[in-house]
Amino acid sequence: MGVLITGTNTGSCERDSPGHVRYNSVSELKWRPLLLRIRVKPDNTGVVTDGVKHSMNPFCEIAVEEAVKLKEKKLVKEVVAVSCGPQQSQETIRTALAMGADRGIHVEVSGKDYETLGPLQVSKIMAALAKKEDAQLIILGKQAIDDDCNQTGQMTAALLDWPQGTFASEVTLDGDKIKVVREIDGGLETIKINTPAVLTADLRLNTPRYATLPNIMKAKKKKIANVKAADLGVNLTSRLEVLKVEDPPQRQAGMKVETVEDLVGKLKEAGKV
Amino acid sequence: MCRNAKILTYFLVHFSCSSTEVSDIFTLFCFAALWMMANPLRPEVVRLYKNLLYLGREYPKGSNYFKDRLRAAFIKNKSVQDPEQIKAMIARGEYVARELEALYYLRKYRAMKKRYYEE
């Protein structure tokens, strides 16, 4: 599980003063294994995750930090952290609450459903929650470090028919619109999108704060609501089936040669030249 | 501090209603002053210790290594009484906490950058 932090603004827009719009924000988190040493399961159906230390997805931390920063700038009314997974993902929500989110929603998915939980299912859950909580902005991490899908943000935007600002390295709320500077292969791209919108956080968006012990203690008072996917009317069956997971091939030992002629001879032997 | 206050109020309630002798109140005041004078900064120090302990769990060289050094550092300065000195040491402890947070952030940032961004 990874931590995807998506911040969505939920709630109605209130106008305080001309040009100043207030949103509610929802962040979604994924709880992912800290990939220290990966071992493939003996039956080749996946990677061993029992007993592996899990924590919040780094990109999700950046997304939560962005949502909290927006709240501190008073551009966003409320930050809600969402996570889908078994009981342990509540810890991730607690970390997000310690970082500054206002409340959490834990979508309980466990057992078989959890193993097949992919971006499509998560984005369906996010879309349903966004409608239910009346969110205006959803912020997610750009990808999860265990499956590297980079799909949830985009799928959520498509399901909600909202504009998306992905790989955001800078986000500015500008009245009704959001100015997003995106990191793309060719450089940086600045776009202006309408709200409500979906953003995905890239590495250089901000520096996430550490959830220190006093903050964690304070966060214990904040509420985490428990929701089942069925309550949101979301079907969790996966359309994908993992056939096989294998270790990459072992690295072959190299050979040392003395002269260039030897090297050419060896290459000719191997049929490469 | 809260514990001391509770004990103090207990004494005040039970002893002040029995007699209004000046000497009694005086001894009570001395007692209270001695108690509180010892370590008004104690809660701050305890809070700092707990923070550092929590931060040290992810220390790269191992949490036991960090815990040993943390305890040694605090025990070494056990007998310091001067509030100014204690405040300076608390500031240094908070500096260490900030350094640890920066260490963890950098470690994660560099790991992500190496994994996902080709330079």
Side-chain angles (χ1 to χ4, degrees):
Chain A
M1 290 201 271
V3 171
L4 290 179
I5 301 182
T6 48
T8 50
N9 287 330
T10 53
S12 50
C13 275
E14 287 168 23
R15 289 191 182 269
D16 278 12
S17 50
H20 182 97
V21 186
R22 304 186 118 214
Y23 305 85
N24 289 344
S25 189
V26 170
S27 289
E28 191 209 15
L29 312 167
K30 259 195 188 175
W31 171 76
R32 293 271 176 238
L34 276 183
L35 301 177
L36 300 169
R37 203 178 301 131
I38 317 165
R39 290 193 322 277
V40 176
K41 280 194 208 160
D43 55 358
N44 276 11
T45 52
V47 168
V48 174
T49 54
D50 297 330
V52 174
K53 183 160 176 249
H54 286 58
S55 81
M56 200 191 280
N57 191 30
F59 295 110
C60 293
E61 285 177 351
I62 300 175
V64 169
E65 174 68 20
E66 191 58 27
V68 170
K69 273 210 168 80
L70 287 174
K71 192 180 90 159
E72 285 171 357
K73 284 189 213 158
K74 305 265 197 317
L75 297 167
V76 152
K77 205 158 68 168
E78 191 192 26
V79 175
V80 181
V82 175
S83 185
C84 314
Q87 273 303 103
Q88 294 93 317
S89 20
Q90 286 216 359
E91 272 187 46
T92 327
I93 306 184
R94 293 247 173 254
T95 316
L97 292 173
M99 284 169 76
D102 293 307
R103 57 188 170 94
I105 299 178
H106 176 218
V107 181
E108 183 119 23
V109 178
S110 45
K112 264 270 127 220
D113 276 338
Y114 179 62
E115 280 170 35
T116 55
L117 191 73
L120 182 59
Q121 289 77 22
V122 174
S123 50
K124 281 186 194 164
I125 293 174
M126 282 308 293
L129 270 172
K131 290 205 189 93
K132 183 165 160 229
E133 299 280 333
D134 200 14
Q136 235 97 83
L137 187 61
I138 303 187
I139 313 181
L140 299 108
K142 76 165 179 175
Q143 66 195 72
I145 58 173
D146 63 352
D147 57 19
D148 281 337
C149 280
N150 196 339
Q151 294 165 0
T152 313
Q154 290 83 341
M155 284 181 178
T156 315
L159 285 169
L160 288 166
D161 201 20
W162 286 4
Q164 50 182 289
T166 50
F167 311 108
S169 70
E170 204 183 299
V171 169
T172 337
L173 256 59
D174 197 8
D176 245 349
K177 302 208 188 271
I178 308 181
K179 196 175 94 168
V180 180
V181 177
R182 306 175 58 222
E183 271 188 43
I184 58 176
D185 287 339
L188 295 172
E189 182 193 45
T190 314
I191 57 171
K192 211 173 208 172
I193 52 178
N194 293 329
T195 50
V198 174
L199 302 173
T200 59
D202 206 330
L203 190 61
R204 285 166 269 266
L205 181 56
N206 56 42
T207 313
R209 62 195 70 182
Y210 198 85
T212 54
L213 194 61
N215 289 342
I216 293 188
M217 291 293 138
K218 278 184 227 157
K220 286 199 174 164
K221 297 186 201 131
K222 300 187 187 167
K223 285 197 181 3
I224 298 184
N226 216 319
V227 179
K228 290 239 163 29
D231 296 344
L232 298 167
V234 170
N235 185 1
L236 287 179
T237 50
S238 173
R239 298 178 199 180
L240 304 170
E241 186 194 329
V242 174
L243 295 174
K244 199 166 60 161
V245 174
E246 276 180 340
D247 273 315
Q250 293 283 356
R251 236 187 116 174
Q252 301 288 345
M255 278 185 295
K256 268 192 167 172
V257 291
E258 297 295 314
T259 66
V260 177
E261 281 80 17
D262 273 352
L263 175 64
V264 174
K266 285 240 156 53
L267 284 172
K268 280 200 178 141
E269 268 176 53
K272 307 269 182 191
V273 174
Chain B
M1 205 55 186
C2 154
R3 196 189 93 211
N4 287 353
K6 277 191 195 154
I7 296 170
L8 196 60
T9 43
Y10 170 82
F11 274 114
L12 278 169
V13 162
H14 284 260
F15 284 92
S16 59
C17 55
S18 59
S19 92
T20 49
E21 295 256 4
V22 178
S23 57
D24 264 347
I25 296 174
F26 183 69
T27 47
L28 197 58
F29 182 75
C30 284
F31 183 63
L34 269 170
W35 205 319
M36 301 231 189
M37 216 162 63
N39 38 25
L41 285 172
R42 188 187 154 82
E44 316 272 323
V45 174
V46 170
R47 197 183 306 146
L48 174 70
Y49 183 77
K50 282 186 184 167
N51 268 351
L52 283 171
L53 207 58
Y54 181 77
L55 279 169
R57 294 172 317 160
E58 283 179 56
Y59 197 66
K61 270 193 168 167
S63 69
N64 288 335
Y65 176 96
F66 183 86
K67 230 185 273 188
D68 291 335
R69 277 174 181 58
L70 178 69
R71 297 185 76 223
F74 270 71
I75 285 174
K76 193 174 79 170
N77 296 318
K78 194 164 68 163
S79 54
V80 174
Q81 290 290 0
D82 178 25
E84 290 302 308
Q85 265 189 300
I86 295 179
K87 279 198 190 123
M89 285 187 208
I90 290 177
R92 206 164 76 209
E94 284 172 3
Y95 169 76
V96 170
R98 284 197 300 270
E99 289 282 296
L100 277 171
E101 290 178 19
L103 169 76
Y104 295 148
Y105 165 68
L106 266 180
R107 189 175 55 173
K108 213 175 277 189
Y109 177 84
R110 284 181 182 154
M112 292 298 114
K113 189 153 171 265
K114 195 168 142 198
R115 238 183 255 179
Y116 294 115
Y117 299 87
E118 254 180 58
E119 301 288 325

